[in-house]
Amino acid sequence: MIFRETGVQFMQINTLYQLYDDVLHRRPLVDLARHFLGIADYLHYLFSGEPVMERSLVSTTQIFNPVLNDWSAALVNELGLPRQLFPPVVVSGTRIGKVTTSLASELGTFPIFATCSHDTGAAVAAVPAEGDHWGVSQLWDLVSAGSGAVASAFGERLYGGELYQ
């Protein structure tokens, strides 16, 4: 069920296992929580007051369904997690809002944008490369020499420069 819902390989470092451990051993903490946020998204929340999660990191939680482009309701229910913990998912560059009123009094008013929160994605975004003939690879890549397709961790396939799900 997990792989079918997420397309992500089973790894104990994925968030799904950490949250399930919280359900089993720290249920009062789960019941007290208002939002599930990654570190970068928590910083966005502190600046803007808006709970959202950026898609590059959401894909690594093993709770996100890339076909539906939303949290997997089946996994959230199976894990016994409250659905309201999971905020809207946004892409990098999305304007989340503006700095909170309390911070604006000290810092001035400015917009807050979602940043690429996955470490590899952020590193790739920082590479000063141009054009179509460069790339990055990790051990997570699955490459098919027969079809010329590359499957990502979210189960998408790249054909001739276009992304298909």
Side-chain angles (χ1 to χ4, degrees):
M1 172 185 182
I2 296 171
F3 184 80
R4 183 182 69 240
E5 282 290 308
T6 67
V8 178
Q9 65 184 343
F10 297 99
M11 294 183 66
Q12 290 179 347
I13 63 171
N14 290 335
T15 312
L16 174 141
Y17 303 101
Q18 297 167 32
L19 288 176
Y20 188 54
D21 188 68
D22 287 341
V23 167
L24 295 177
H25 301 104
R26 288 172 287 286
R27 186 68 204 203
L29 180 64
V30 173
D31 294 336
L32 182 65
R34 292 192 349 227
H35 308 293
F36 163 65
L37 300 170
I39 293 172
D41 298 305
Y42 179 62
L43 293 173
H44 296 142
Y45 175 73
L46 291 177
F47 276 97
S48 70
E50 299 293 332
V52 298
M53 278 192 71
E54 193 274 323
R55 192 179 193 282
S56 69
L57 190 60
V58 166
S59 69
T60 69
T61 63
Q62 205 165 6
I63 308 169
F64 182 75
N65 184 316
V67 174
L68 300 177
N69 200 32
D70 198 4
W71 299 102
S72 168
L75 286 174
V76 169
N77 291 334
E78 186 71 25
L79 294 169
L81 292 163
R83 175 60 179 99
Q84 68 271 13
L85 280 182
F86 298 89
V89 176
V90 300
V91 296
S92 295
T94 299
R95 184 180 174 149
I96 300 171
K98 61 182 183 178
V99 69
T100 62
T101 306
S102 60
L103 288 175
S105 64
E106 294 183 41
L107 304 173
T109 302
F110 53 89
I112 305 296
F113 292 89
T115 58
C116 181
S117 29
H118 187 276
D119 56 344
T120 305
V124 170
V127 172
E130 295 181 20
D132 296 332
H133 302 293
W134 70 279
V136 65
S137 180
Q138 298 189 136
L139 293 176
W140 316 112
D141 294 335
L142 302 173
V143 179
S144 170
S147 68
V150 177
S152 75
F154 2 114
E156 298 164 325
R157 285 181 243 155
L158 188 63
Y159 292 102
E162 293 185 54
L163 194 59
Y164 293 89
Q165 290 188 357

